[in-house]
Amino acid sequence: MNQLATSLTKGGIDYMNFNIGMRIPPKIGSEGIEKVANWAAEVELDTLDVSRLTPEVIAACEKAGVGIGTVDVAQVGQLFSLDEKRRSDAIDSVKKQMTDIAALGGRVLFMCLVPEDHTLPRNDSFGIWKETFPEIIQHAEQNGLYIAIEGWPGPAPYYPTLGCTPETLRAMFNTIPSKHFGMTYDPSHLVRLGIDYIRVLSEFGERVNHCHGKDTEMLTDDLYECGVLQSTFTEKYLFSEGSWRYTIPGHGEVDWGKVAIRLQQLGYNGPISIELEDHRYWGTLEAEQQGIVKAAEHLRRYFK
């Protein structure tokens, strides 16, 4: 795995000094990679998750003194196509991307296993996954890559994403025991789904290949209005479905102190990467920058 955290010893007790990074939000990203990397260094971020790894991205990050967190993989949805030729082409594309990323020094790949057909039942997707992914994971092993799947359940009303619940994670990890196939631990999704986010670390912690710093606020009044169903009318907030909304760390339900301790115990050595999806810090460059800075301030209380 990527060695992105250091162990400090104080008074005979080991402390983890985790790196804090970010997944690049749209307004910040529109400034270009050089400005993004320089700004990240100015606000003392350590890593950037990037959509593509190129020599230009690497050069900008190296010049600013910022590391690479994860690299996105494209065409993942087509891996679940019912069209065999389309699925085969997607496998070839993903493997080529992996080879290219490894050649440039990338190590952790970000994937969200959302089928291109959002109506495809998860059980059917799992059947396809069992056929396609062993070859992909073998390629990851051969190239020293680690896959980190995201637990976003996918769009309403079908929520088709594989790996968003303990039920599916368990089945997948039992099928592919290799640690080169793991998860992006993002407690915000678990909170909105009513899943014990600490218990997930207890059961699947050894398969955490990446971690997102994002939170969820449960909206009590709106829970009364529509329960756990998506609201019938327009939501009050961006990044919400009615009874909950995504927030920056510190504005939601997650106890980041407990998360930090558990990740330390597990020996996780990757970054805590802020994924900004918060209504209050969206829409302008200044708002996004403020959200990232506030999120990093909160996370440093527990991870630095």
Side-chain angles (χ1 to χ4, degrees):
M1 278 294 297
N2 49 333
Q3 302 296 318
L4 294 174
T6 57
S7 179
L8 306 176
T9 301
K10 300 177 183 177
I13 302 174
D14 284 337
Y15 294 87
M16 291 301 291
N17 184 28
F18 289 88
N19 284 339
I20 306 295
M22 73 170 177
R23 186 169 176 83
I24 304 170
K27 297 294 185 183
I28 292 176
S30 67
E31 295 282 284
I33 188 59
E34 288 190 11
K35 287 188 177 180
V36 171
N38 289 334
W39 180 81
E42 287 174 13
V43 298
E44 299 183 343
L45 295 179
D46 305 297
T47 63
L48 291 175
D49 294 348
V50 298
S51 58
R52 290 184 64 235
L53 190 63
T54 66
E56 293 73 23
V57 168
I58 293 170
C61 289
E62 286 182 348
K63 184 177 180 180
V66 176
I68 302 294
T70 61
V71 182
D72 290 0
V73 177
Q75 292 184 274
V76 172
Q78 295 176 21
L79 293 172
F80 299 92
S81 176
L82 298 178
D83 183 304
E84 187 174 343
K85 175 65 165 56
R86 185 170 175 80
R87 191 165 66 243
S88 176
D89 289 345
I91 293 172
D92 291 342
S93 172
V94 167
K95 289 172 63 177
K96 184 181 185 306
Q97 291 176 65
M98 294 167 69
T99 299
D100 293 343
I101 290 168
L104 289 171
R107 287 294 173 262
V108 184
L109 307 181
F110 179 84
M111 295 185 184
C112 195
L113 306 185
V114 187
E116 58 183 1
D117 178 1
H118 294 169
T119 68
L120 189 67
R122 285 198 297 272
N123 192 40
D124 292 352
S125 296
F126 181 70
I128 295 172
W129 175 87
K130 287 197 297 183
E131 295 179 5
T132 59
F133 260 75
E135 180 180 349
I136 290 171
I137 302 309
Q138 183 181 32
H139 197 70
E141 292 172 339
Q142 292 169 349
N143 286 274
L145 297 169
Y146 292 83
I147 291 173
I149 63 170
E150 163 78 306
W152 176 57
Y158 298 102
Y159 304 111
T161 306
L162 276 185
C164 64
T165 63
E167 172 195 38
T168 51
L169 286 171
R170 190 178 303 113
M172 296 167 85
F173 292 155
N174 286 340
T175 301
I176 298 181
S178 172
K179 291 185 179 180
H180 288 261
F181 177 69
M183 63 187 291
T184 293
Y185 177 70
D186 186 333
S188 70
H189 302 306
L190 300 169
V191 168
R192 61 168 276 201
L193 293 173
I195 295 170
D196 186 332
Y197 61 92
I198 296 296
R199 184 174 173 181
V200 165
L201 281 179
S202 298
E203 182 172 358
F204 305 111
E206 292 186 355
R207 303 298 284 269
V208 173
N209 287 342
H210 191 54
C211 180
H212 275 171
K214 193 174 73 180
D215 216 325
T216 292
E217 178 188 6
M218 299 306 297
L219 306 171
T220 309
D221 289 341
D222 295 283
L223 183 61
Y224 169 77
E225 288 294 320
C226 41
V228 296
L229 300 179
Q230 184 180 22
S231 58
T232 306
F233 309 109
T234 304
E235 286 85 17
K236 296 178 182 177
Y237 307 102
L238 299 172
F239 312 111
S240 171
E241 286 184 1
S243 61
W244 56 269
R245 73 177 189 95
Y246 291 139
T247 72
I248 61 172
H251 291 197
E253 312 295 324
V254 176
D255 186 330
W256 290 98
K258 289 183 179 179
V259 171
I261 290 171
R262 193 58 57 90
L263 287 174
Q264 176 189 0
Q265 292 171 337
L266 291 166
Y268 173 71
N269 56 14
I272 313 301
S273 184
I274 299 160
E275 183 180 33
L276 184 66
E277 293 182 345
D278 189 320
H279 182 94
R280 296 181 62 195
Y281 302 102
W282 201 255
T284 68
L285 175 63
E286 292 73 22
E288 288 184 359
Q289 290 178 333
Q290 184 182 24
I292 293 292
V293 168
K294 285 184 175 293
E297 287 175 351
H298 186 80
L299 292 172
R300 287 190 186 105
R301 298 179 189 177
Y302 306 101
F303 293 98
K304 288 288 190 181

